[in-house]
Amino acid sequence: MSEKRNPTSKNAFPTLKESIGSLLIVLIALSGVIILSFLLSKTPSKTLRYFFLGPLQNAYYFGNMLNGAIPLIFGGLGISLAMRSGNFNLGGEGQIYSGALATTLFALYLAPLGVVGAILALFIGAFVAGGLAGLSGYLRMKWDTSELITSFLISNAVVLVVNYLIAGPFMDPSTSLIATRKIPESFRLPVLLPPSSLSTALFFALVAVIIVHIYLYKTKSGYQLRMTGLNSRFAKYGGINTRKFIVLPMFLSGFLYGLGGGFAIYGTYFSSIKEFSAGMGWNGLAVALIAKNKPSMVIPAALFFSYIEAGARSAMLHSDVTFEIAAIVQSIVFFLISSEVLFTLFEKKRRYS
Amino acid sequence: MQFTIPMLHSAITIMTPLLLASMGGLFTELSGMLNIALEGLLLMGAFCSIIFSYYTASMILGTLLGIVCTMILSAILASVTLNLKANVFITGLAVNLFASGMTVVLSFALFANKGVVVFDNIPPLPLLGTPELAKIPILGDIFIGHSAFVYLSWLLLALCYFVLYRTPFGFRIRATGLHPEALSSLGMRPNRYRFASFLISGFTCGLGGALLTLNLGAFVPNITAGKGWIALVVIFLGNKKPIGLLIAAFIFGLADAFSNYAQGALNIPSDFILAIPYIFTLLAMIGSSIYANKKGAIES
């Protein structure tokens, strides 16, 4: 398998070329929404109004849109770290789900410990998710098994096992939802913008962006990680332990996904509901792709995706299209985001004379 | 073991979409492209063939139109990947996302239903074979009485072997993966052969997908449930050889058929049963990479 790993420039912030390219793709994807609305909806103008303006119309929708960006920021950061090291993590779905379940269960178990228990439960969840991703990294390091396929397969199996655990041994029989018991009140994060469910988890997400940025660009380990991703052979000759940078970035990638799942529980859901995180893992990947694996760009990219999702949800509530229209927009982004041609359209032709 | 023979019979039906998808995937794989879009192409084929069978009231016409739609999608995939120079892995994901979103959006737009859509005017697939043939002990019970898709897939497998190993076109497909520069130095364009192999995978996935829905007479959202990914593993496990595909696909078909029986016979939670193909695939991947690793270590 000789596929080209994701090419990214080494700058911490996007170049003009990259920004224009990303913007162009966002515009193409949004025009896809317009075309689809005209094709599928009986009232296209109403559909479009709810799609584009729905998420901004009041504090409730706006807060929920920002809240939806939180797990995407964590996922986007996780994927960026893996991609920067030349690894693919396709297991976000299973990692975020299992991290969330582990956090919920340990939060219930560690309730008497108060804040210490909350932090402990959060990190246990992140370690579970990190371990799952790290396992794929380990398999690649040991036997050169494609981490891209193993992470996907492990995740698919894990999602089913978590489904079983939520609907079986850990189900709370007192609610009509298929969900675990709710975490104690003292573990829940305060709401920032009532009546929406935007919580202070947003601040933790922003702190995570800063930490990942500093790690990648200001530490020795981050430098080695980026060098391994740019040219593994060169990095090896330079004395970098490249084997380490297969397992570590995969672990960190899953760890961040796990944190995203944990914060979703502490801030929004308060219990692991069956399939509550479905789609978050893929969206995290899409966010990293559109951010060109740069932590600083993960925030606007995550906002873009949560805007699309919120728009699709609002259009579904008020008009005659389904929520899955968001998946089509994402797929347009995926189609074009890695194109080298689109990103060099605006580059001045250099003369070699 | 009175259930072995029906189990082998259903293993053959189950393996056929896998075999078809992996045949097309073999062409892209040999031309040097990791085609993870098999999943999305199968889903597109499954949806479009039953929709068109419903509207044209002909399963043959429906299947053909379904194949055309799938080939159009694979042509888009190929042209974005090859002409816009995009990463084949990410465009493949795009196809998978597109197919899973588009099938639901269309099924809602056409039938106002996001769940299972049952089509009343679609008769069960005719099963082929004469009573005389079916009387052959054991072999007759296993190999006779399948739908035309099953026998067609065997014919296509033979054709696939012939094309890849006995025609200039096949040699060039394989050369594209092994050494594209050699091909361009002879004045041929490797991307043309890659494009052709994407179209072939669109064709076989369209056919494989048609079997999934026509066999059921209904469309279920995400009916492929990872079959495209397993087809990819079938290619690796089958050592990228046509006959290897047959063996690997049969093993997966058998595992699936067994888990169907196990679900009824043993009291195992259905989520665990559904997880079996993924775990099985994972172990197969690890096993084959350990084997490749050992072999590589000896050769070098």
Side-chain angles (χ1 to χ4, degrees), chain A residues 116-339:
Chain A
V116 182
I119 296 171
L120 215 57
L122 190 67
F123 277 92
I124 291 171
F127 266 98
V128 167
L132 288 174
L135 176 63
S136 294
Y138 177 80
L139 292 172
R140 179 175 173 204
M141 184 194 79
K142 191 89 180 155
W143 296 299
D144 207 22
T145 319
S146 163
E147 83 289 356
L148 173 159
I149 297 178
T150 60
S151 59
F152 174 82
L153 292 170
I154 292 173
S155 156
N156 272 13
V158 163
V159 166
L160 291 163
V161 171
V162 174
N163 273 347
Y164 163 74
L165 291 175
I166 289 177
F170 296 112
M171 193 168 116
D172 178 9
S174 66
T175 67
S176 56
L177 285 171
I178 301 178
T180 61
R181 282 196 292 139
K182 289 202 166 190
I183 57 166
E185 296 273 355
S186 59
F187 278 39
R188 300 179 191 176
L189 293 170
V191 177
L192 271 184
L193 191 66
S196 79
S197 44
L198 178 66
S199 71
T200 48
L202 183 66
F203 299 132
F204 291 101
L206 298 179
V207 170
V209 172
I210 296 169
I211 292 174
V212 172
H213 180 87
I214 292 173
Y215 169 71
L216 265 182
Y217 296 100
K218 305 283 183 225
T219 66
K220 191 180 157 200
S221 173
Y223 172 78
Q224 292 180 330
L225 184 150
R226 285 186 292 129
M227 286 304 117
T228 308
L230 283 174
N231 188 336
S232 160
R233 207 171 281 176
F234 175 77
K236 199 171 181 181
Y237 280 120
I240 295 172
N241 179 6
T242 49
R243 285 161 66 86
K244 180 177 140 192
F245 288 101
I246 298 174
V247 183
L248 181 70
M250 285 298 279
F251 173 79
L252 290 177
S253 171
F255 189 86
L256 282 162
Y257 261 118
L259 281 181
F263 276 115
I265 296 297
Y266 283 0
T268 312
Y269 297 95
F270 313 127
S271 70
S272 288
I273 304 161
K274 192 178 177 191
E275 283 174 350
F276 83 94
S277 65
M280 286 183 192
W282 291 118
N283 287 342
L285 179 70
V287 163
L289 288 173
I290 205 160
K292 292 272 149 188
N293 304 327
K294 292 179 202 304
S296 56
M297 289 304 288
V298 162
I299 299 171
L303 285 176
F304 169 69
F305 272 99
S306 63
Y307 174 67
I308 295 287
E309 295 241 304
R313 207 163 278 135
S314 139
M316 176 174 75
L317 276 177
H318 300 284
S319 185
D320 59 347
V321 290
T322 65
F323 173 65
E324 281 74 11
I325 206 165
I328 297 175
V329 179
Q330 282 170 17
S331 74
I332 298 174
V333 172
F334 274 36
F335 255 125
L336 302 173
I337 198 70
S338 68
S339 158

Side-chain angles (χ1 to χ4, degrees), chain B residues 22-39:
Chain B
S22 64
M23 255 188 266
L26 180 64
F27 278 85
T28 41
E29 183 63 31
L30 289 177
S31 75
M33 303 249 107
L34 176 71
N35 189 358
I36 64 157
L38 296 177
E39 174 80 11

Side-chain angles (χ1 to χ4, degrees), chain B residues 48-65 121-122:
Chain B
C48 293
S49 352
I50 197 153
I51 290 293
F52 283 116
S53 301
Y54 172 72
Y55 283 117
T56 61
S58 154
M59 286 207 273
I60 293 174
L61 210 57
T63 304
L64 288 176
L65 287 170
N121 76 336
I122 295 190

Side-chain angles (χ1 to χ4, degrees), chain A residues 4 143 145 322 338-340, chain B residues 84-85 87 108 278 289 293:
Chain A
K4 197 155 70 195
W143 296 299
T145 319
T322 65
S338 68
S339 158
E340 284 172 39
Chain B
L84 292 181
K85 290 189 188 160
N87 183 321
F108 184 76
Y278 298 111
S289 61
N293 225 288

Side-chain angles (χ1 to χ4, degrees), chain B:
Chain B
M1 300 278 273
Q2 80 282 9
F3 65 86
T4 355
I5 285 170
M7 201 167 86
L8 285 171
H9 188 94
S10 69
I12 286 175
T13 311
I14 294 169
M15 81 175 219
T16 303
L18 289 179
L19 182 62
L20 284 165
S22 64
M23 255 188 266
L26 180 64
F27 278 85
T28 41
E29 183 63 31
L30 289 177
S31 75
M33 303 249 107
L34 176 71
N35 189 358
I36 64 157
L38 296 177
E39 174 80 11
L41 293 174
L42 266 179
L43 185 58
M44 207 61 188
F47 181 75
C48 293
S49 352
I50 197 153
I51 290 293
F52 283 116
S53 301
Y54 172 72
Y55 283 117
T56 61
S58 154
M59 286 207 273
I60 293 174
L61 210 57
T63 304
L64 288 176
L65 287 170
I67 289 172
V68 170
C69 289
T70 316
M71 285 175 83
I72 291 172
L73 186 60
S74 72
I76 296 172
L77 166 68
S79 55
V80 171
T81 310
L82 301 170
N83 300 335
L84 292 181
K85 290 189 188 160
N87 183 321
V88 65
F89 171 74
I90 294 166
T91 50
L93 273 182
V95 168
N96 295 346
L97 254 178
F98 178 82
S100 71
M102 201 62 182
T103 48
V104 175
V105 166
L106 282 179
S107 126
F108 184 76
L110 295 172
F111 308 104
N113 182 353
K114 281 165 68 168
V116 179
V117 186
V118 182
F119 297 90
D120 300 328
N121 76 336
I122 295 190
L125 280 176
L127 304 177
L128 303 185
T130 57
E132 289 78 37
L133 283 171
K135 274 189 195 125
I136 305 169
I138 302 172
L139 288 181
D141 292 324
I142 297 170
F143 293 107
I144 305 302
H146 292 285
S147 65
F149 285 93
V150 171
Y151 304 111
L152 192 60
S153 76
W154 298 346
L155 281 179
L156 284 175
L157 188 73
L159 186 67
C160 167
Y161 175 84
F162 178 78
V163 168
L164 280 175
Y165 292 96
R166 294 283 181 272
T167 64
F169 175 76
F171 288 140
R172 286 171 197 162
I173 291 257
R174 291 190 291 143
T176 308
L178 288 172
H179 217 299
E181 294 85 1
L183 213 65
S184 7
S185 74
L186 290 171
M188 284 172 277
R189 281 188 266 167
N191 272 0
R192 249 186 209 189
Y193 293 94
R194 295 207 170 112
F195 200 99
S197 62
F198 272 114
L199 283 184
I200 293 170
S201 61
F203 174 83
T204 61
C205 287
L207 197 62
L211 171 60
L212 285 175
T213 41
L214 292 179
N215 199 22
L216 210 61
F219 178 75
V220 182
N222 195 22
I223 189 171
T224 47
K227 285 199 167 56
W229 290 90
I230 294 171
L232 203 61
V233 180
V234 164
I235 298 169
F236 291 118
L237 270 186
N239 209 10
K240 302 184 190 176
K241 298 262 180 351
I243 192 74
L245 298 185
L246 186 68
I247 297 167
F250 181 71
I251 293 172
F252 278 108
L254 202 58
D256 218 355
F258 176 74
S259 57
N260 286 346
Y261 276 86
Q263 203 163 3
L266 313 164
N267 198 12
I268 301 172
S270 64
D271 285 320
F272 286 171
I273 302 277
L274 289 170
I276 287 175
Y278 298 111
I279 293 166
F280 200 77
T281 312
L282 179 71
L283 295 177
M285 284 287 300
I286 297 171
S288 76
S289 61
I290 292 175
Y291 172 75
N293 225 288
K294 291 243 167 77
K295 209 171 121 190
I298 291 163
E299 276 170 3
S300 59

Side-chain angles (χ1 to χ4, degrees), chain A residues 334-351:
Chain A
F334 274 36
F335 255 125
L336 302 173
I337 198 70
S338 68
S339 158
E340 284 172 39
V341 172
L342 281 182
F343 280 89
T344 48
L345 273 181
F346 302 96
E347 205 177 32
K348 280 181 196 151
K349 296 261 187 302
R350 289 200 195 89
R351 285 203 192 130

